[in-house]
Amino acid sequence: MDRRAFLKTAAGALAASNGFAAPAISQRAGARALRLVPFADLASLDPVWSGDYMSRNAGLLVWDTLYGVDAQLKPQRQMVESEEVSADGLAWTFRLRAGLKFHDGEPVLAKDAVASINRWAVREPMGGMIKAIENELVAVDDRTFRWVLKRPYPRMLLALGKLSPVNCFVMPARVAATDPFKQINEYIGSGPMRFVRDEWVPGSRAVFERFAAYVPRQEPASWLAGGKRIISDRVEWMIMPEPSTAAAALQSGEVDWLEYAHIDLVPVLQKNRNVVTDLRDPLGDVGMLSLNQLHPPFSDVRARRAILAAMSQDGFMHALTADDKMWKPMPSYFTPGTPLYTEEGSEILKTPRKLDTAKRLLAESGYAGEPVTCMAAQNLAMHKALGDVTVDLLQRLGVKVDFAATDWGTIVARRGQKAPPGQGGWHMYIISLSGADTTDPTTRMIRTNGDVASNGWSKSAEVEAEIASWYDAKTLEEEKAAARRLNRAAFDQVVYAPLGTLLRHKAYRNNVSGIVQGPLPFFWGVSKTA
Amino acid sequence: MLTYVIRRILATIPVMAVVALFVFSLLYIAPGDPAAVIAGDQATPDDVARIRASLGLDRPFLVRFGEWSWQILHGDLGTSIFTNLPVAAMIAQRIEPTLSLMAVTLAFAVLVAVPIGVVAAWQADTLTDRAIMGFAVLGFSVPVFVIGYVLAYVFALQLDWLPVQGYTPFAEGVAPWIENLILPALALGCVYIALIARTTRAAMLEVLQQDYIRTARAKGIGQAGLLFVHALKNAAVPIVTVIGIGMALLIGGAVVTETVFAIPGIGRLTVDAILRRDYPVIQGVVLLFSFVYVVVNLVVDLTYTVLDPRIRY
């Protein structure tokens, strides 16, 4: 007896009641609704106010960007039709494409772009850098705006089209006038899908409908660039915190696509002939061990070097996967397989672990057996596993460990505490970022600007100088050269300890096509047959 | 009686006030900072501080508590820090799935547990009794999520009789509504069945020793009538009590069950809010749970008067 027959039988006694109403959602959805299980919940839909990946991912459906990076990590025009930069590199003039519309039918104007840039720049480091050298940012006419700087900024297009949060989304000027530290209340988008606010159940479901008046570019879609052609009428995000439930729902056909397939469940899914599994993102997820550089022992670079000397990335990665095809060593501060990847200066990580050397370095740093507080989020499987390996590593070094296995919400608050570890502070914690976020020096994790460095308040003039030289680089070769010097300086100072790159699977029903590999689910070009 | 009810209802006010103060204080001293969660991994300490200020989280405890209490007195549970939606609206979105799950679980558990408890007492110290009590111990011992996964594997994946996850509102049809609730109610009900069945057995064993039962037997009353009319009614007070106490168990179990079956209920709302430190939502939900628990206890107390005429308030 299959499900339909079972239900008919079970409902037999009740069927006289004029028949049962079909679920309204199913009636609306039909075969063209694409149901995705994203990796987390959509808690907020203001992608400028929130630096969360999920807000970014939803934002990319609802709002369009002026530029967008493609799969080769190159920024391409998106809402912009053309740009001109003056010979001295100071004046940028941007012209918007014709026919762009907001979801309320109003045209997208240059003043909207200007207001959106102004709000974004307060929350995004590159935006802040440009603002610091800005002479003026003005709308010239309905489709043209000009940004005049005091000195050249070669990374302008990357800043406007970057992949990692916070992205420069174009909103109506009245919405973009909202304080960047407060949430917007109107979700009037400029992107290919409209957010269906009245069907939003935070923690359970978010729904997007195709925006018919969206004008996609003619170029083929590639990540954030090209023609964002939405084929499905509706996209439904079904939030399922339990990976087993999500995998079962995929097998039973209740959902179409899992952004992440849990590593333990991939073999089960691969046995199902209706399910396809594939590499989610060739850039993977990068594990990091952040070290507090305000307090001993890690205020001394020798203690930080001791960690690098004692660790082996395969030990960390094997705690996450037994499949050697699903992780990459990362003796670098840049993501493997990307243009700036370099192993310059990383010998300490590439040679076999040297516990004796590490113990000596630790002793030289003045470490005398004080408890070292290591934080790891238990509610994030990757963090917990990496935390367990870190504890083992520290114990092998003879370090007394205070393992604070807590939740991520506690860690993000505690990591901002500058107090000594015994008084509410910390020594080290596990963090992971999308590999797409560590492809270049725009990530804050590599910054070493002391008091404002978000990564353990690391401080190094050498590292900062090399970051600055990358921002000033005018050619890819100059960028690569700067990245090599930066990588060497970062390893010398041990800005943080890179733990390796984990690759993961995604999974989808075999009636879905057009899904590409990438750091987030791209819906353009994805279709589903009944 | 009416005076008692009014007195009990009025007594909920100080109880709720203490709960409110306790929850607010607990969240105030608990580690975590929603501003840091909102700001993201790449934010500067200054960004975090400005978000914290914009949310009013940098103000003194008494100011924040006073403001929140004033809102509550005006029937306003506040606004979620993250979703920007009113807490009352978020609870309203989630209340139906949780109430449905609890109601179906309660009905299923009582319908199963009471008869098997009665039979176990009737057949005390026999194989039937031991089998029923063995089942009860098993139901109480196996975690809800294990039962949930086994049920989903068998009835959803292997037999394809029922859906794996989700919830369909009652308004969209009885069949899809109950279809989504069968497996979660079975999973959640196992613990509850075990609790009620064991209590029923114990209460019935005591009642079956009473003189009036022997008298009833001597008068020739049939076995079923004796057990389910004469004995069960006299054993009902502890059974109703444990059903009431078990509501707390159901609320706790609903958190796990809603997660396993991806039901958008209050339990998951609570967990999500705690993980994010969405204070207004946590406070609103805890107040709601406390109120429900107080009301359930009141209903249980009032039920005693129906079941046992000797009890008067």
Side-chain angles (χ1 to χ4, degrees), chain A residues 97 215-220 226-227 229:
Chain A
R97 284 193 288 141
V215 184
R217 294 189 71 90
Q218 293 307 307
E219 300 91 333
R229 289 182 179 77

Side-chain angles (χ1 to χ4, degrees), chain A residues 292-300 417-421 426-427 457:
Chain A
N292 187 336
Q293 300 178 30
L294 283 184
H295 301 289
F298 301 116
S299 53
D300 190 310
Q417 299 295 320
K418 289 185 175 177
W426 54 280
H427 282 109
W457 305 284

